[in-house]
Amino acid sequence: MRHLMSPMDFSVEELEDLMNLAEDIRIHPDNYSHVCDGRTLATCFYEPSTRTRLSFEAAMINLGGDVLGFASADSSSAAKGESVSDTIRVISSYADICAMRHPKEGAPLVASSRSKIPVINAGDGGHQHPTQTLTDLFTIRSLRGEIENLTIGLCGDLKFGRTVHSLINALVRYPKIKFMLISPPELRVPSYIRDDVLTKNGIEFEELKSLDDAMPHLDILYMTRVQRERFFNEEDYVRMKDFYILNKAKMELAKKDMMVLHPLPRVNEISVEVDDDPRAMYFTQAQYGVYIRMALIMTLLKEADRDKGGAEHA
Ligand code: NCD
C-alpha cells in the first residue's frame, strides 16, 4: 500500500508525472469530474487547518467523490484517548483514502502502518508537510516553466516551519538550486536539515538575518509565519513574531520577476499592500493546491486498486 509521508516518497520522475496530471486537470477539469465517483476521502485533522483540509475536500468533490471526517481532536474520539492506530483501522472500513494532520511528529506514519487504505500526511507537528510541498513545486513549475537554476529565499520561522523542511528536502533534487535561509538566529533550520540534507547533498546555501540583504538576489521569496503553537513560551513568540514584515518598500529591492510565495495563513509577515503586486503569487498557490491534491488522490487510489487487484488474483 502506497502512502505519502514525505515529499521524498516520490521520485523526481513521479513528481513530474503528478504535476503533468495536475496541469491537465487545471486545463480540462471537466474530464476529471467523475473519476472518483463512489469513492470516499476521510479527512482526520487533529490540528487546525483551513486550506489543507478544505482543498483536500474540494479536490475529492471535484473528482466526483465524497468526503467525511473531523476537523479537530476535540470532536473526535482522540478526546477520549483513542490512538491513531485504532482510529485508522476503523476509518479504513469507512473510506478509500485518508488525509491526516496531527500535532505529533510521526503520527500519520504510525497510522499508515496500521491502515488498509492510503494515508496522506497533511502535516505532522514541526516535521513535514508533503502536500504543501507538492503545491509549492507545482506552483513554481507552472509559473516559471521549470524548477531549476533558482535562488530561493526561505524567510521566517525555519525552525518550526514544516513547510520549509519538506520544501528543502524536495528541492535539493533539482539542478542549480541555491538557498538563502533568512531567519532570526533562534529560528534557523534544524541541523537535521542543514547538515543532513543541505551540506550532505553539496547544496549552496547561506544563513542570514537580513531580508533586505537577500532581496536583490532572489528568484523566489517563500515567506512563513512564526509558528506560535510550537513555541515553549509566549514571550519568545512575541519577541519574534514581527521580525520580518514584507512591504512595498522591501519589494522595491527585488527583481522585477521575483515571485512571492507563502503557504498561508499569513499573520503580519506580508503586509496586505503587497497583495496587489503582480509578483505576489500566494493566493494562486493556494488555488493550485487543489489541482495537485486531485492528481495525488487519483494516483494513490489507482495504485491501491492495482495492489488490491493483484492481491485478489494472487
Ligand atoms: C501551513 C502548515 O499548516 O504548516 N499551512 C498550510 O497548510 N498551508 C503553514 C502554517 O501553518 O504556517
Side-chain angles (χ1 to χ4, degrees), residues 29 31 57 75 80 89 104 116 126 138 169 194 196 199 213 239 244 286 305:
N31 292 353
E57 297 191 356
S75 65
K80 300 179 186 169
R89 284 187 76 165
K104 275 208 192 115
K116 294 191 170 58
F138 180 50
N169 260 299
R194 189 180 35 246
D196 303 349
T199 307
D213 287 354
R239 194 160 48 82
Y244 299 105
D305 290 346

Side-chain angles (χ1 to χ4, degrees), residues 160 187 225-242 267-268:
F160 296 115
L187 296 180
R225 155 185 88 87
V226 175
Q227 306 278 300
R228 180 182 203 160
E229 65 277 33
R230 311 213 194 280
F231 272 68
F232 296 112
N233 67 68
E234 183 72 8
E235 232 171 80
D236 285 349
Y237 169 72
V238 170
R239 194 160 48 82
M240 272 176 283
K241 72 181 172 70
D242 293 330
V267 186
N268 289 328

Side-chain angles (χ1 to χ4, degrees), residues 196-258:
D196 303 349
V197 181
L198 292 168
T199 307
K200 203 167 152 187
N201 287 291
I203 306 298
E204 206 180 323
F205 72 96
E206 186 182 336
E207 293 187 286
L208 70 169
K209 195 167 135 186
S210 165
L211 177 55
D212 286 13
D213 287 354
M215 237 24 205
H217 305 286
L218 303 177
D219 299 306
I220 294 174
L221 172 60
Y222 192 94
M223 292 297 291
T224 63
R225 155 185 88 87
V226 175
Q227 306 278 300
R228 180 182 203 160
E229 65 277 33
R230 311 213 194 280
F231 272 68
F232 296 112
N233 67 68
E234 183 72 8
E235 232 171 80
D236 285 349
Y237 169 72
V238 170
R239 194 160 48 82
M240 272 176 283
K241 72 181 172 70
D242 293 330
F243 208 94
Y244 299 105
I245 298 180
L246 182 66
N247 55 19
K248 270 192 171 162
K250 288 205 186 321
M251 289 297 284
E252 304 257 305
L253 304 171
K255 291 183 186 171
K256 294 278 165 279
D257 64 347
M258 190 200 62

Side-chain angles (χ1 to χ4, degrees), residues 25-314:
I25 293 171
R26 189 177 74 79
I27 300 169
H28 308 288
D30 292 348
N31 292 353
Y32 295 88
S33 55
H34 290 291
V35 295
C36 284
D37 280 0
R39 315 304 296 269
T40 303
L41 164 81
T43 50
C44 301
F45 276 58
Y46 297 85
E47 224 190 27
S49 168
T50 300
R51 259 153 306 275
T52 305
R53 187 172 61 84
L54 296 184
S55 66
F56 262 115
E57 297 191 356
M60 192 51 157
I61 291 166
N62 292 346
L63 294 169
D66 291 312
V67 293
L68 51 80
F70 53 86
S72 75
D74 306 348
S75 65
S76 79
S77 277
K80 300 179 186 169
E82 186 173 54
S83 68
V84 288
S85 303
D86 281 1
T87 305
I88 196 70
R89 284 187 76 165
V90 174
I91 287 173
S92 292
S93 63
Y94 299 162
D96 301 288
I97 185 164
C98 171
M100 179 180 285
R101 169 171 288 190
H102 203 286
K104 275 208 192 115
E105 276 124 45
L109 182 66
V110 171
S112 71
S113 69
R114 302 306 297 270
S115 178
K116 294 191 170 58
I117 58 174
V119 178
I120 300 166
N121 176 5
D124 61 328
H127 187 219
Q128 297 264 13
H129 193 344
T131 63
Q132 182 62 49
T133 296
L134 299 182
T135 302
D136 302 340
L137 295 178
F138 180 50
T139 308
I140 295 171
R141 200 190 76 157
S142 302
L143 301 178
R144 293 207 70 114
E146 59 190 5
I147 308 172
E148 66 172 84
N149 205 11
L150 296 168
T151 299
I152 302 181
L154 299 166
C155 178
D157 186 347
L158 310 187
K159 180 179 181 184
F160 296 115
R162 56 192 173 196
T163 61
V164 165
H165 305 159
S166 285
L167 187 56
I168 292 177
N169 260 299
L171 281 172
V172 298
R173 299 187 293 178
Y174 291 87
K176 296 199 226 134
I177 301 290
K178 183 180 162 193
F179 292 101
M180 297 189 89
L181 305 172
I182 309 146
S183 75
E186 296 93 326
L187 296 180
R188 286 193 186 141
V189 284
S191 60
Y192 73 84
I193 298 285
R194 189 180 35 246
D195 304 340
D196 303 349
V197 181
L198 292 168
T199 307
K200 203 167 152 187
N201 287 291
I203 306 298
E204 206 180 323
F205 72 96
E206 186 182 336
E207 293 187 286
L208 70 169
K209 195 167 135 186
S210 165
L211 177 55
D212 286 13
D213 287 354
M215 237 24 205
H217 305 286
L218 303 177
D219 299 306
I220 294 174
L221 172 60
Y222 192 94
M223 292 297 291
T224 63
R225 155 185 88 87
V226 175
Q227 306 278 300
R228 180 182 203 160
E229 65 277 33
R230 311 213 194 280
F231 272 68
F232 296 112
N233 67 68
E234 183 72 8
E235 232 171 80
D236 285 349
Y237 169 72
V238 170
R239 194 160 48 82
M240 272 176 283
K241 72 181 172 70
D242 293 330
F243 208 94
Y244 299 105
I245 298 180
L246 182 66
N247 55 19
K248 270 192 171 162
K250 288 205 186 321
M251 289 297 284
E252 304 257 305
L253 304 171
K255 291 183 186 171
K256 294 278 165 279
D257 64 347
M258 190 200 62
M259 182 163 105
V260 184
L261 299 179
H262 190 311
L264 303 176
R266 130 178 85 183
V267 186
N268 289 328
E269 61 281 355
I270 302 181
S271 160
V272 289
E273 68 184 20
V274 175
D275 295 357
D276 295 331
D277 189 303
R279 294 169 289 183
M281 297 314 296
Y282 28 92
F283 292 115
T284 305
Q285 183 186 2
Q287 187 189 340
Y288 279 27
V290 176
Y291 307 126
I292 197 81
R293 289 186 174 94
M294 289 169 76
L296 177 67
I297 291 170
M298 280 178 63
T299 303
L300 290 180
L301 279 178
K302 201 161 144 195
E303 291 202 23
D305 290 346
R306 211 175 41 210
D307 292 350
K308 232 185 277 169
E312 273 160 20
H313 290 110

